[in-house]
Amino acid sequence: QVQLVESGGGLVQPGGSLRLSCTASGIVFSWYPMGWYRQAPGKERELVAVIRTTTSTNYADSVKGRFTISRDNAKNTVYLQMDSLKPEDTAVYYCNSGSFWGQGTQVTVSS
């Protein structure tokens, strides 16, 4: 079965950095676009970034210039490098591939 497993979340101060990882199994990873979404308390889940099989990328306006999505097809892994973090980036971050979702990893930005 398909599994997406995220890691790398945690507590960080404003201005800090985190790198999230998502490792996939059960799919031919290189065939699929991969995305990161997030959901803050009381808010809808929103797209953060997507990387296609061509490695072209798109970002939400709120994270452009601060977050970078990348993929390593040899490791079946997609990454989200998050720099200059703000309190409003606090959310559960989910990895996505089509109809499949990871379990989520909590990111908290607070002093």
Side-chain angles (χ1 to χ4, degrees):
Q1 70 277 20
V2 178
Q3 282 192 312
L4 303 176
V5 180
E6 301 105 332
S7 62
L11 173 64
V12 63
Q13 292 187 343
S17 297
L18 282 174
R19 189 176 81 153
L20 305 183
S21 300
C22 170
T23 300
S25 59
I27 60 172
V28 181
F29 181 80
S30 61
W31 289 4
Y32 295 95
M34 298 296 297
W36 286 97
Y37 287 71
R38 67 186 181 187
Q39 187 166 19
K43 295 189 176 182
E44 293 187 354
R45 192 172 296 189
E46 64 174 355
L47 176 65
V48 175
V50 61
I51 184 166
R52 299 174 186 82
T53 58
T54 58
T55 71
S56 66
T57 58
N58 284 99
Y59 296 91
D61 287 344
S62 58
V63 307
K64 280 180 182 176
R66 300 188 297 121
F67 290 12
T68 304
I69 189 171
S70 61
R71 64 190 299 159
D72 185 338
N73 289 340
K75 295 183 178 180
N76 285 5
T77 300
V78 60
Y79 304 98
L80 186 68
Q81 177 66 41
M82 305 186 294
D83 299 316
S84 302
L85 282 161
K86 304 176 181 180
E88 51 263 44
D89 295 317
T90 295
V92 179
Y93 284 71
Y94 297 92
C95 179
N96 169 263
S97 179
S99 60
F100 301 103
W101 295 88
Q103 80 285 357
T105 186
Q106 177 70 47
V107 172
T108 302
V109 184
S110 174
S111 55

